[in-house]
Amino acid sequence: MRRDPSPDSTDMSKLLLAWFLDNQRSLPWRDDPSPYAVWISEIMLQQTQVVKVVPYFEKWMARLPDPESVARAEEETLLRLWEGLGYYSRVRNLQKAAQKIVRDHAGTLPRDEKALLKLPGIGPYTAAAILSLAYNIDVPVVDGNAERVAARLLDLDQPVKAPSTHRIIREKLKVWLPKGHARNFNQAVMELGATVCTPALPACGTCPVSSWCLALKNNTVLERPVKVPRPSTVSLIASVGILRDTDGLVYIQKRPPDGLMANLWEFPGGILKSKEYPEDALRRAMLEELGVKVRIGGKLGKVRHAYTRYRVWLHVFRCELEPPAQEITPQTAVEGRWTHMDELYRFAFPSAHRRIIDKLL
Ligand code: SF4
């Protein structure tokens, strides 16, 4: 028999909780659901999958075990620990928030939503996660997994990201949440979405709440949740120069403190213009970015990189100053330096440039 999950949801919630206790994955922030661990994991998990986050989280916690250590860490240390996770404004906000936590909250994340929302980088979702997963306060947490589970249980036919749908989902989760069990219940809903009620191939046959699922009843599972089409992807091609001097040192430069990938180091280069060859684009970029002429010595390879809605191909060339005695004057970078190849690990690079170092050099 299938039942509407509202208004009486007690049995459904009980089954879901029992299923979670038997089936949850072991994750480091679950083993230690301290407010600090929950906060760090939630910020890392924004736009990033669990399997990728686990080693970053473990490394971070070993190096920076509390808000005090984050508050006083060097920016280069934070960027290096974050390197590869992308969306670097997150790690800068983490430090600003940590400094505020130390200054205004004696080094402990507040238990109060209003105070949490005043911390840089913490929005309603992260605040709810900290309150419920760390402090076990009865508030629902609505991430993408919870949205999908709720949209299917309720067979919602409105776009799931619309504010009105979000409100419905939040209200329903509030009703379904058994008092005093916020930590486990919210994790149970998200875990169900991550491991059973998955986007493409939900395992309805093993789902603990299938008896209540209206989408299953109405045969609309794969049509739920209703999504609005994403903006189309943009393809870009760029050239990157591995500029070496006569001593074998390589030139790197630091991006400005504002904007995309702020303060990260990179190899110089630029986006190809229409109908431009990669080699020509590189010569032009070196002249525009560094004020120097270069001789291109050979192609090292190609690296593909995707971020937000961009798909970027990087053509990587070895090159040298021609003539050799030219002074580099960075135009947009805040700093440039020649460094040994085996010192490159000390600097924080965007993922694509780290891949150049790992794969091509
Ligand atoms: Fe998701 Fe299927 Fe369970 Fe419904 S029955 S909640 S669609 S896994």
Side-chain angles (χ1 to χ4, degrees):
M1 180 180 73
R2 296 212 168 87
R3 290 165 279 184
D4 187 326
S6 55
D8 182 13
S9 58
T10 316
D11 291 348
M12 182 180 84
S13 301
K14 271 191 198 158
L15 268 177
L16 190 50
L17 275 174
W19 169 84
F20 175 67
L21 294 176
D22 287 344
N23 293 280
Q24 61 179 303
R25 292 166 294 173
S26 166
L27 298 170
W29 48 91
R30 272 189 189 153
D31 302 340
D32 163 27
S34 67
Y36 176 66
V38 170
W39 173 44
I40 298 299
S41 65
E42 287 299 335
I43 300 294
M44 286 185 171
L45 285 164
Q46 289 167 10
Q47 320 281 346
T48 314
Q49 292 186 329
V50 168
V51 280
K52 182 167 180 187
V53 164
V54 169
Y56 279 92
F57 176 83
E58 288 174 334
K59 220 161 127 187
W60 179 284
M61 296 300 277
R63 184 83 188 267
L64 304 169
D66 48 36
E68 284 87 353
S69 52
V70 179
R72 56 168 191 264
E74 297 283 332
E75 189 187 39
E76 197 67 37
T77 306
L78 298 175
L79 290 175
R80 195 70 185 89
L81 285 167
W82 205 265
E83 189 190 281
L85 283 175
Y87 302 96
Y88 290 87
S89 56
R90 290 184 292 172
V91 71
R92 287 191 193 90
N93 281 334
L94 264 179
Q95 186 168 45
K96 285 184 203 149
Q99 288 162 347
K100 205 164 156 50
I101 290 166
V102 171
R103 199 176 53 240
D104 302 343
H105 302 283
T108 304
L109 278 110
R111 293 173 64 101
D112 164 65
E113 188 188 19
K114 269 192 190 152
L116 283 171
L117 291 175
K118 284 186 185 152
L119 297 172
I122 295 191
Y125 167 78
T126 310
I130 294 167
L131 292 174
S132 71
L133 307 189
Y135 292 119
N136 202 27
I137 293 172
D138 285 337
V139 288
V141 177
V142 192
D143 73 343
N145 287 318
E147 267 175 3
R148 183 169 55 258
V149 170
R152 284 173 173 169
L153 283 172
L154 298 163
D155 196 17
L156 296 176
D157 58 5
Q158 311 96 304
V160 74
K161 295 291 180 196
S164 55
T165 317
H166 191 84
R167 260 196 306 279
I168 293 171
I169 290 175
R170 204 166 181 281
E171 287 309 311
K172 288 295 177 189
L173 285 170
K174 240 192 228 174
V175 173
W176 297 342
L177 194 161
K179 299 261 171 300
H181 294 279
R183 175 181 296 138
N184 283 344
F185 180 77
N186 282 328
Q187 290 191 91
V189 176
M190 294 189 281
E191 189 78 347
L192 188 76
T195 61
V196 177
C197 193
T198 51
L201 284 174
C204 300
T206 61
C207 175
V209 293
S210 59
S211 308
W212 286 269
C213 182
L214 294 180
L216 187 63
K217 178 183 170 188
N218 298 335
N219 200 20
T220 53
V221 169
L222 293 182
E223 291 153 42
R224 306 287 178 258
V226 175
K227 292 187 176 167
V228 282
R230 288 184 180 192
S232 53
T233 55
V234 177
S235 295
L236 298 172
I237 304 175
S239 287
V240 174
I242 307 302
L243 180 62
R244 312 284 293 262
D245 71 1
T246 46
D247 296 325
L249 300 179
V250 62
Y251 181 82
I252 57 173
Q253 58 183 11
K254 194 174 190 180
R255 295 176 63 87
D258 301 310
L260 202 61
M261 295 177 280
N263 280 348
L264 293 185
W265 291 84
E266 64 180 8
F267 300 108
I271 305 284
L272 270 66
K273 290 183 175 172
S274 167
K275 297 186 183 162
E276 194 174 30
Y277 287 108
E279 291 87 340
D280 294 336
L282 183 58
R283 283 190 205 95
R284 176 180 55 74
M286 291 295 198
L287 202 54
E288 289 172 0
E289 270 192 39
L290 309 181
V292 293
K293 290 184 177 170
V294 296
R295 187 176 73 78
I296 295 179
K299 189 163 182 176
L300 289 166
K302 269 200 300 189
V303 169
R304 187 172 178 273
H305 180 56
Y307 65 96
T308 60
R309 62 195 191 95
Y310 296 97
R311 305 287 173 269
V312 189
W313 275 107
L314 301 172
H315 294 267
V316 187
F317 296 95
R318 190 181 293 123
C319 56
E320 56 195 43
L321 295 173
E322 176 79 15
Q326 297 177 70
E327 192 171 337
I328 292 180
T329 315
Q331 299 301 306
T332 51
V334 290
E335 187 185 339
R337 65 167 69 179
W338 295 95
T339 185
H340 286 284
M341 293 289 292
D342 53 10
E343 291 282 300
L344 290 175
Y345 75 91
R346 292 200 301 111
F347 301 90
F349 285 88
S351 307
H353 287 234
R354 177 60 63 192
R355 219 171 303 144
I356 291 173
I357 296 168
D358 293 344
K359 288 194 177 169
L360 304 182
L361 300 183

